Every structure is written in C-alpha cells, then in structure tokens.
C-alpha cells in the first residue's frame, strides 16, 4: 500500500490508512516485544513516508520527563550590555552535546527586576526541565540548596559552598598567578584588581587568587587596590576615576570583567594617558567585543563553545551516567584552565 506524505498526519490517520488499531501503531513505533518485526517495519516505513512523528510532549508527560535542560542565566552583565554573546556562544556548544542525546536546551533569563532565587524556585516547581544549569552563582547559593533538597539534577556554572554538587568553573588561581607574575616581571609592584559588585562567586574567588598570587611574589596586600565597580558599560570609567583617587596610584590593573576595559581606555584617553604605557592593563578573557581596542588587550583565551560542550557532558552525566564516557565526562567538579594571550596593553611600569 502506498501512503502519500501529508502535513500534520496524526496517529489515528496513520492507523486508519494501515488498517491497524491505534494501540498497535503506537506499540510498533515503540518497538514493543508483543508486535512482530514485520509489523514494526511496515508501520515505521509508512510513518516515514507520511512524515508522522510521535507526540514527544505527550510521551514525555507520560514518562514524567521533559527531555529539556534549562540554563538559568542573568542578563544584567556588561557582556550583554555591550552586545557580546557569551551565553549564546556557550549555548551553541551546550546544545550540540544535548541534541546528540535527544535533549533540548531552554534558556531562562532573569533581569535586574527579578529575584534570581524565586525565579528558579518557580521554574523548578513547574517542572520546566529535567535538569538545571545555574549561572551567576553566589558563594552560598539558595538555588543550589533548593534543587539539591528536591533531588533535581543540576550543574553549577561556577563554584559555591552549597552542598555537594557538580560544577564547572574557571581556574581563577592560575589566571591570577599568571597575570601577577607577568606584571611583576615587567617591574610592576602596585597591581590593582577590578571585581564586580554584588559578591558573586567569581569575584570572591578572583580576589582570593589575587591575594595568593601577590603573597607568592612577596608583595604586601593592599585592600585599597581591590576595587569593586558595577558590572555595567561605564564600570571601567568609574574604575579609572577610583584608581586616580588613590594616594599611591597603581601602575597596573587586572580586570575580572574584561569589558570594563572599554570605559577604562576612554578614561585614560580623556586624561592624556595611554594603556600599556602609563597603566598596564590585563583582562580576564579574550573577547570579540574588544577587538577594536588599541593597544590590543592582553588577556586569557577561552573557547566558550568548548566550555559549553563540557557543561553539556556534565549535565548528561547527572541524568544518565551511561550516556557520557568516562574520558569525556571529566570529574564531578572541574576547574578549566585558560592560556595567556599576550597583547600590548601591559607594558612598562
């Protein structure tokens, strides 16, 4: 029998044309053992010709899963305000891994007007996804505790002290050590650190790594050189103002949020100074938004898509340990190393 492909064919129509019951077609599509191999082959060939696919939403509801992974992410960052797409690039690598496992990625963004804790609590209670990836982590994060208490699989994009859970994070200690060592070799002893306001995990960890790096170089720690500015487009300009207000100004600065270099460069230019000559500047991450800065920013290289792929492997391991090989899945909690990318912004003291 020839079945002609039509748009929107349902299981009842397919069963009618095959002169089979709906339950037989359903069991054949699922390769149930009580259906003959010949019938399974016949049903599946007909389904392919007419373009019929099972209702995945209904099947997921019956199984009690959604086949979806939710990335819960903040939108109030300098990266989004200057047009850089960190999270979308991350999502490319993440979705690549998830799709191979037959899962979809949904993005749940929250802005400044929303409570990040309540936002995730509501999403989890509604059962929007089988697992959650939590970004913008706090040192102690109620969202992590909430998911752990309910047995909901999760991976944190950033470390927290909340319970024992999988996370993926940058190796801030290694980055700080490399940046400080490079600046010290160039004769800098007054090295400032820019971190963002709000006390997020990445700012706390970077400050700790910075202090350890100074101690390793025998440089006294001056708390006045750890400067918090808003994670906004103008945060770098404010940073320049506050550096100049210090009684003993630094000769170098390391930027946790590399996009603040835009405002800092503008401040220095307006005050007749030049990055790399009058103030050495190193940023955290190579960032396409900063390609037009001159001099070229010294920073650290991170493949955001690879970072997303590893994130996908970790979340799949929480859902099905057999899906990801031991070679690919890495450890439960993993630090990601970044390599220094020399530029021209970190010149003489």
């Amino acid at each position: 029998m020839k079945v002609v492909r039509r748009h929107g064919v349902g299981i009842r129509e397919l069963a009618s044309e095959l002169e089979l019951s709906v339950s037989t077609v359903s069991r054949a599509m699922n390769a149930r053992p009580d259906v003959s191999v010949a019938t399974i082959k016949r049903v599946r060939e007909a389904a392919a010709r007419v373009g019929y696919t099972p209702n995945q939403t209904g099947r997921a509801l019956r199984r009690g899963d959604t086949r979806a992974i939710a990335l819960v992410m903040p939108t109030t960052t300098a990266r989004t305000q200057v047009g850089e797409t960190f999270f979308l690039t991350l999502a490319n690598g993440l979705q690549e891994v998830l799709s191979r496992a037959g899962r979809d990625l949904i993005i749940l963004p929250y802005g400044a007007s929303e409570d990040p804790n309540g936002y995730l609590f509501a999403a989890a209670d509604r059962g929007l996804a089988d697992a959650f990836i939590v970004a913008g982590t706090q040192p102690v994060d109620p969202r992590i505790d909430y998911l752990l208490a309910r047995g909901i699989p999760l991976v944190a994009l950033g470390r927290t002290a909340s319970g024992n859970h999988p996370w993926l994070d940058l190796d801030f200690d290694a980055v700080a050590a490399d940046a400080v060592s490079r600046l010290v070799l160039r004769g800098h002893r007054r090295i400032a650190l820019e971190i963002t306001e709000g006390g997020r995990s990445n700012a706390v960890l970077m400050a700790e790594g910075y202090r350890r790096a100074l101690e390793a170089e025998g440089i006294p720690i001056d708390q006045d050189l750890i400067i918090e500015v808003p994670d906004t487009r103008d945060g770098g300009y404010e940073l320049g103002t506050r550096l100049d207000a210090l009684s003993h100004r630094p000769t170098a600065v390391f930027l946790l949020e590399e996009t603040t270099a835009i405002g800092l460069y503008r401040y220095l230019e307006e005050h007749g100074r030049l990055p790399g000559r009058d103030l050495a500047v190193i940023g955290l991450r190579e960032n396409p938004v900063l390609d037009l800065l001159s001099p070229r920013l010294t920073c650290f290289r991170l493949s955001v898509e690879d970072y997303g792929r590893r994130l996908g492997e970790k979340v799949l391991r929480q859902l099905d340990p057999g899906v990801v090989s031991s070679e690919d899945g890495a450890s439960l909690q993993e630090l990601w190393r970044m390599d220094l990318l020399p530029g021209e912004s970190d010149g003489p003291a």
Side-chain angles (χ1 to χ4, degrees), residues 182-190 251 349:
R182 180 178 174 86
L183 291 168
V184 169
L185 285 173
R186 283 162 167 70
H188 297 278
R189 303 286 294 179
R190 292 281 291 171
T251 62

Side-chain angles (χ1 to χ4, degrees), residues 20-299:
L20 296 171
S21 68
V22 170
S23 63
T24 299
V25 171
S26 176
R27 295 199 308 277
M29 291 298 295
N30 287 286
R32 295 286 294 274
D34 59 343
V35 182
S36 69
V37 173
T39 300
I40 291 173
K41 183 173 182 293
R42 178 183 170 218
V43 169
R44 289 188 170 183
E45 287 177 349
R49 286 195 298 271
V50 302
Y52 166 77
T53 55
N55 185 328
Q56 297 297 336
T57 301
R59 295 175 72 185
L61 289 172
R62 289 190 293 274
R63 288 195 306 264
D65 65 59
T66 66
R67 306 299 296 172
I69 309 299
L71 169 62
V72 185
M73 51 161 277
T75 60
T76 52
T77 69
R79 288 185 294 270
T80 56
Q81 291 183 1
V82 298
E84 201 260 325
T85 55
F86 172 86
F87 280 109
L88 291 181
T89 307
L90 181 90
N92 285 340
L94 179 56
Q95 177 61 38
E96 178 185 318
V97 172
L98 298 182
S99 63
R100 289 201 298 262
R103 293 187 178 271
D104 296 310
L105 174 66
I106 59 175
I107 296 178
L108 301 178
Y110 61 89
S113 63
E114 291 176 289
D115 169 28
N117 297 334
Y119 184 77
L120 182 137
F121 298 166
D125 289 345
R126 289 161 58 195
L128 293 182
D130 299 332
F132 288 81
I133 297 169
V134 183
T137 54
Q138 300 289 330
V140 176
D141 202 312
R143 299 172 299 173
I144 304 296
D145 294 329
Y146 192 85
L147 295 173
L148 289 173
R150 284 153 183 77
I152 300 174
L154 72 104
V155 175
L157 186 58
R159 280 164 279 176
T160 80
S162 296
N164 184 35
H165 63 278
W167 50 255
L168 177 65
D169 203 2
L170 301 177
D171 191 342
F172 293 111
D173 268 16
V175 166
D178 288 348
V180 168
S181 175
R182 180 178 174 86
L183 291 168
V184 169
L185 285 173
R186 283 162 167 70
H188 297 278
R189 303 286 294 179
R190 292 281 291 171
I191 303 169
L193 171 69
E194 172 271 324
I195 58 175
T196 51
E197 297 175 331
R200 284 185 180 169
S201 294
N202 61 348
V204 173
L205 292 165
M206 181 57 81
E208 291 173 355
Y210 161 82
R211 293 187 189 98
R212 281 190 283 267
L214 291 180
E215 289 175 350
E217 296 290 345
I219 298 175
I221 296 170
D222 183 348
Q223 286 298 125
D224 289 341
L225 293 180
I226 302 177
I227 299 178
E228 296 184 17
V229 295
D231 184 12
T232 66
R233 183 163 43 195
D234 296 326
Y237 196 92
E238 178 182 334
L239 173 64
T241 302
R242 293 177 60 181
L243 291 175
D244 273 0
L246 294 172
S247 57
H248 186 189
R249 293 192 310 198
T251 62
V253 61
F254 179 67
L255 309 176
L256 172 60
E257 300 294 341
E258 69 282 343
T259 45
T260 58
I262 298 172
L264 179 59
Y265 272 44
R266 179 163 59 91
Y267 177 88
L268 292 173
E269 180 183 4
E270 289 180 5
H271 290 77
R273 305 213 299 279
L274 184 68
R277 184 190 70 190
D278 304 298
L279 179 68
V281 183
I282 296 181
L284 177 63
R285 181 176 67 89
E286 180 187 22
N287 190 322
V289 165
L290 308 180
D291 284 350
L292 297 180
L293 285 184
S294 180
R296 185 164 55 90
L297 186 68
T298 295
C299 53

